[in-house]
Amino acid sequence: MNHKLIVIDTNVLISAVLSPEGTSRKALNKAYQEFKITQSDETYEELKTRIYKHK
């Protein structure tokens, strides 16, 4: 069982979604393989504000 934890920055998560072949996606895929990904309430709230941000 893998007990190594990692928090992924909000910008990396968004970049990984927007650019499936990019560096952020590659880093995220590697993190999924080697770590248990966790998030803080602050990170979750920041992600929500970025997703629903009006442009």
Side-chain angles (χ1 to χ4, degrees), residues 1-52:
M1 180 181 230
N2 188 348
H3 295 290
K4 296 184 289 185
L5 298 177
I6 190 170
V7 175
I8 306 295
D9 182 75
T10 303
N11 292 320
V12 173
L13 292 171
I14 292 170
S15 293
V17 170
L18 295 176
S19 183
E21 301 299 322
T23 302
S24 292
R25 172 63 83 158
K26 292 173 186 173
L28 187 59
N29 288 345
K30 186 158 182 73
Y32 275 128
Q33 293 171 359
E34 298 185 18
F35 298 92
K36 180 176 180 181
I37 297 176
T38 186
Q39 68 181 31
S40 66
D41 291 336
E42 292 82 6
T43 302
Y44 179 72
E45 290 300 320
E46 182 182 9
L47 184 59
K48 283 190 342 187
T49 64
R50 299 296 182 261
I51 291 172
Y52 298 114

